[in-house]
Amino acid sequence: MAESSVTMTVEGHGPAREIAVRVRDGAGPPVVWLGGFRSDMNATKAGAIDAWAEKAGRRFVRFDYAGHGISGGRFEDYVISSWLDDARAVIAAYADETPVLVGSSMGGWVACLAARERARQGKKTAGLVLIAPALDFTEELLWASMDEDQRSAMQAKGGISVPSEYDPRPTVFTMGLIDDGRNNLMLGGPVEPGCPVHILQGGRDPDVPSSHAFRLLERLPAEGTVLTFIADGDHRLSRPQDIERLVSAVAGIA
């Protein structure tokens, strides 16, 4: 099936931006890739799902959030609500009919927010596949890990720069990101996505610890929820055996 590259303008929660989207034609419930914080749509896992979609004749949609990859905008000008707006717009335009949402790390949070919103609107979602889902990470994994000096700098300067393990460029964390994250927290109560959920979590994940995934598991409906725990898996879960599990999980829901 052919793949096309398009752009679309998204407004809301930050400056208007041009979002880069790639759409592979196909049948069946469309599969949508929701990437992680500072990741892009050319990530290994997204490429593996695209290869599966091409072979299976399935529609597959992936995109770069504002300030990520080749999409427009300055990264530090955007927050969780911005990236949810991006996802919402892409899904509405290219995958609105019973999508399968595949979210990696921060994308898992965006996927859960999007699915919950769809359920409240009476729209169906076929299912979620969540890889090391980082729900509430701005508060639970970022703010909670900062020392007093870092928190003071965030509040006084509006943000801080810290080295990144995954990118030669430092990561800019803004106070706006923290504040907006607090408006999107989900783990304080039941998480109701309105569809089946399959979580894949590594036991050796230094970024989103397995305890975080188990907190989510406790808040999801028991019916239709599956956790694949990969004891020796890291955060990326990009080894061949991990990719095989991911593709199987997507095919199982789709």
Side-chain angles (χ1 to χ4, degrees):
M1 295 289 181
E3 183 182 47
S4 58
S5 297
V6 297
T7 59
M8 60 185 302
T9 301
V10 180
E11 298 181 352
H13 295 98
R17 58 274 189 187
E18 291 292 315
I19 297 298
V21 186
R22 292 167 67 180
V23 181
R24 180 172 297 286
D25 290 336
V31 178
V32 182
W33 173 257
L34 302 169
F37 189 73
R38 291 196 71 186
S39 184
D40 62 59
M41 62 179 165
N42 291 319
T44 300
K45 294 185 288 293
I49 297 173
D50 181 61
W52 164 82
E54 182 178 24
K55 184 177 180 180
R58 293 297 300 275
R59 186 174 182 85
F60 180 55
V61 181
R62 48 180 162 164
F63 67 98
D64 285 333
Y65 305 113
H68 289 67
I70 59 173
S71 285
R74 198 173 64 128
F75 173 81
E76 52 266 40
D77 288 338
Y78 301 98
V79 292
I80 300 300
S81 293
S82 312
W83 300 321
L84 176 59
D85 283 342
D86 296 343
R88 184 187 293 119
V90 170
I91 292 167
Y94 300 105
D96 195 44
E97 187 174 350
T98 322
V100 178
L101 306 182
V102 185
S104 178
S105 195
M106 182 189 78
W109 188 5
V110 174
C112 287
L113 287 166
R116 182 179 68 179
E117 180 179 275
R118 290 178 61 83
R120 290 174 175 175
Q121 294 171 346
K123 296 181 178 181
K124 292 183 178 180
T125 300
L128 304 182
V129 177
L130 310 177
I131 308 113
L135 279 71
D136 301 6
F137 83 90
T138 52
E139 191 72 17
E140 301 287 343
L141 303 177
L142 180 56
W143 186 255
S145 70
M146 291 183 178
D147 58 33
E148 287 305 314
D149 288 343
Q150 289 175 313
R151 290 184 180 184
S152 296
M154 286 278 285
Q155 292 165 331
K157 301 177 182 178
I160 60 173
S161 259
V162 299
S164 170
E165 180 182 347
Y166 303 107
D167 195 310
R169 300 166 299 170
T171 301
V172 177
F173 294 114
T174 66
M175 199 63 219
L177 178 70
I178 300 296
D179 289 337
D180 179 78
R182 289 169 179 160
N183 294 326
N184 289 291
L185 299 179
M186 302 187 79
L187 293 177
V191 177
E192 301 283 355
C195 61
V197 179
H198 192 150
I199 301 170
L200 296 100
Q201 176 67 45
R204 294 176 179 168
D205 187 336
D207 300 310
V208 181
S210 55
S211 58
H212 200 74
F214 281 102
R215 284 188 63 197
L216 172 58
L217 188 68
E218 292 170 354
R219 286 155 178 77
L220 286 165
E223 295 74 16
T225 297
V226 174
L227 169 67
T228 298
F229 184 72
I230 305 157
D232 65 345
D234 60 10
H235 183 62
R236 290 178 180 270
L237 291 181
S238 292
R239 301 170 302 178
Q241 63 268 38
D242 302 326
I243 294 295
E244 185 177 347
R245 292 186 183 100
L246 170 61
V247 170
S248 177
V250 174
I253 286 184

